[in-house]
Structure formats: structure tokens, C-alpha cells
Amino acid sequence: MALKKYIALTVAFLVAFFLDTAILPQWNLFHMVPFVMLALMLAAEQVFSIQTALVIGALGGLGEDLLCENMIGLTPALCLLSAVAYAKLPKDSDTKPLILGLYCAILALGVEMLRALASYVIGMRFSFWNAALYGALPRALLTGLWALGYMALFRPLLKRQVDAV
């Protein structure tokens, strides 16, 4: 069963990396590009463990920064920060998927706001409220939907498993 989990995570990681770096920046709807790697990381944390999420966030964020960003190290740091914040949120096995999606969207919005703050610090000037309302909020909601999709994809991998006490 562990082999299925690792194969599914590897394939999902490669798909998320390819979507974040090659597909979605070029082909998107109204420039709404979700953070697919962040969604994968949060879904892996919900379904599997925080260690899995930390590895995905660190490797995926660093790879995306090396290929696409001008601030190397910011994405993995924000991913790791959001993984720790997600671990502290109240959730159990009975938490509704809508609440989990909202958790992921709020964390994605926080990541977007911290990115905007970092951009402002290095000298970029932009309309913060317009960027937050018309860019960050829709991207955060899309990220929450992607996370719910990944959770639904990973949930069948946990069938017939018993947690060790």
C-alpha cells in the first residue's frame, strides 16, 4: 500500500510542477493561476502527514523558484510556513470538505499577501488592494479547489489501513 502512495505522490508532484511552471502561466483563464504545488502540499498534509507535506513544499517550491521566480527561496519558505500553519488549524476526520477547502484558500491568500509584501520590500510598486481583490483572492479560491481535488484523489489510498497507536 505504501508503494501506491509514493507512486501517486510522485506522479501528482510531477503534474503539479509541470502545471505551475509550464502550462498554467501560459494558458490560463483571466490570468487566474492557482498554486497547484501549494494545493498538493496541503492535501498531502491532510491525507498523509506533515513530513510528506514539508518534503513536497521544500522540493517543489525550490524547483519552481529556480525555474520561474526572481526571489529564490521565497516559495519554499512560504510553503513550509503554510504547512506548519495548516497543522495548527483545528481539523479531524469529521471536518467537512468545504471547511478544509476554506482553510487551504485562506492559507493560499496568506501566501499571496506575504509574496506581495516581499515584492513591495524589494521595490515593486503596485495597487495593493486591486491586486488582492482581483488577483490574490480568486487565485486563493482556485488553490483551495485544487487542494480539495487532490484530497479526493488521495483519500482512496488510505483504505484498509490501521493507524499505529
Side-chain angles (χ1 to χ4, degrees):
M1 188 55 86
L3 186 60
K4 282 185 184 179
K5 174 181 121 174
Y6 292 126
I7 289 172
L9 281 172
T10 303
V11 169
F13 179 83
L14 293 174
V15 166
F17 189 76
F18 187 66
L19 284 172
D20 271 348
T21 58
I23 300 295
L24 291 177
Q26 297 299 319
W27 297 310
N28 53 52
L29 184 64
F30 303 116
H31 298 286
M32 298 302 151
V33 180
F35 299 121
V36 182
M37 189 65 69
L38 179 67
L40 172 65
M41 183 199 69
L42 295 173
E45 182 174 349
Q46 175 64 33
V47 176
F48 300 119
S49 68
I50 190 169
Q51 292 85 6
T52 305
L54 292 175
V55 169
I56 289 171
L59 293 178
L62 185 62
E64 288 177 9
D65 276 356
L66 289 174
L67 286 179
C68 302
E69 300 293 332
N70 56 359
M71 292 185 281
I72 295 177
L74 182 65
T75 303
L78 293 176
C79 284
L80 296 178
L81 185 66
S82 65
V84 171
Y86 189 76
K88 298 297 180 186
L89 289 173
K91 57 192 176 306
D92 56 2
S93 61
D94 296 337
T95 305
K96 302 287 185 211
L98 178 65
I99 301 300
L100 294 175
L102 285 176
Y103 283 167
C104 295
I106 289 169
L107 287 173
L109 186 63
V111 166
E112 186 72 25
M113 294 299 119
L114 288 173
R115 256 182 219 240
L117 179 65
S119 299
Y120 185 77
V121 166
I122 66 168
M124 292 178 66
R125 300 292 179 241
F126 53 91
S127 173
F128 180 78
W129 294 111
N130 284 340
L133 185 62
Y134 299 118
L137 186 62
R139 282 195 295 270
L141 293 174
L142 285 174
T143 302
L145 290 175
W146 273 91
L148 286 177
Y150 275 128
M151 286 179 204
L153 179 73
F154 293 149
R155 186 72 58 193
L157 295 175
L158 294 179
K159 287 187 177 176
R160 296 187 310 262
Q161 286 190 359
V162 177
D163 291 336
V165 179

